[in-house]
Amino acid sequence: RLPGHDPRARPDEGPPHTVSVRAVLLSKYELTQAQWVRAAGSNPSVFAPGRLGGADSPAAPRPSLLHPVESVSWDDCVRVLPRIGLRLPLEAEWEYAARAGTTSVWWTGDDARSLEGAAIVAGPGAVAEAAGAGREPRVEDGKLAGHAPVGSLAANPFGLHDVAGNVIEWCADAFYDYPGRPRVPPEPGAGQRHPRRGGGWFLDESFARSACRHHGPASFQSQSLGVRPALDLVEP
């Protein structure tokens, strides 16, 4: 396998190309519910203390304020993060930090089994199996019926936890096609869409690949979608 080659890559995840990023700090952890409450004054998370998030299985975690904040939109993030001197990372900044110098499919290696102990994701094929059964993935598809406290599993070589799972994370940019690939015009009437990176607790391991890109409108919210804030080292 060539460095950086991902046999599962979709068309909008290539071709590989060089990107320059300036010096920036990305949070070691996904933003917690406690941190969001201090900045925003309320907790939008579905899996939050006192809420079960619809999970009725004994295996469902009992969330605390150390769990990642979720059900936040891109609009919410760009409104709240500047209050505490932070911002959303650019997509290139996110991938650079998530890869942490690796060129493998996952930062843990090229075998999905390497994610054990490093990522909270659903079991193999969980999304397809659930879709075929006409339902959303649930606890029986994976290890958990929700996310876990931040930093519960191993960090990548840069010291960042949960970049391959737990909750998906918003990025600041507008979603775009990479250089060298024909640009696809936006759907008629569609608003601006923004990248979302990293795997999620209810998605299978293919979504935790370092190259994996998904996107959504600025107003979109999900119980598997949160944020890892960035801090500029110098004035942009």
Side-chain angles (χ1 to χ4, degrees):
R1 189 188 68 83
L2 295 174
H5 174 69
D6 183 348
R8 302 194 190 193
R10 300 192 306 265
D12 63 2
E13 295 170 358
H17 58 286
T18 300
V19 177
S20 297
V21 295
R22 65 172 183 264
V24 63
L25 293 176
L26 259 66
S27 175
K28 181 173 182 176
Y29 306 109
E30 294 164 332
L31 196 73
T32 67
Q33 295 178 25
Q35 291 168 324
W36 185 273
V37 169
R38 286 196 292 271
S42 61
N43 188 355
S45 305
V46 172
F47 289 93
R51 305 174 196 163
L52 293 181
D56 53 9
S57 166
R62 295 296 178 259
S64 72
L65 291 177
L66 292 179
H67 280 243
V69 69
E70 29 88 351
S71 301
V72 290
S73 67
W74 187 92
D75 287 332
D76 293 331
C77 294
V78 298
R79 173 176 54 85
V80 171
L81 291 181
R83 298 179 186 176
I84 50 177
L86 302 173
R87 63 170 174 85
L88 286 172
L90 298 172
E91 190 177 10
E93 293 169 342
W94 188 97
E95 185 168 333
Y96 179 85
R99 285 188 177 276
T102 65
T103 59
S104 48
V105 175
W106 297 273
W107 70 259
T108 53
D110 288 325
D111 189 327
R113 291 172 293 185
S114 66
L115 291 170
E116 185 70 29
I120 294 173
V121 295
V127 174
E129 291 169 11
R135 57 176 172 79
E136 292 188 359
R138 293 295 301 264
V139 65
E140 63 266 23
D141 299 310
K143 300 175 182 177
L144 295 173
H147 43 66
V150 301
S152 296
L153 300 181
N156 76 2
F158 282 179
L160 275 62
H161 294 265
D162 304 317
V163 289
N166 216 23
V167 293
I168 307 162
E169 300 166 14
W170 281 113
C171 293
D173 330 36
F175 188 81
Y176 62 94
D177 290 323
Y178 286 154
R181 179 174 181 267
R183 291 187 174 270
V184 178
E187 298 176 9
Q192 182 63 69
R193 304 179 75 82
H194 300 278
R196 307 188 301 233
R197 300 298 297 259
W201 61 266
F202 84 107
L203 297 171
D204 68 29
E205 75 284 348
S206 67
F207 289 87
R209 295 174 296 107
S210 295
C212 184
R213 312 172 74 202
H214 19 149
H215 55 86
S219 59
F220 182 77
Q221 298 172 320
S222 167
Q223 63 197 43
S224 64
L225 181 57
V227 57
R228 181 183 305 271
L231 174 67
D232 287 310
L233 291 177
V234 295
E235 289 294 324

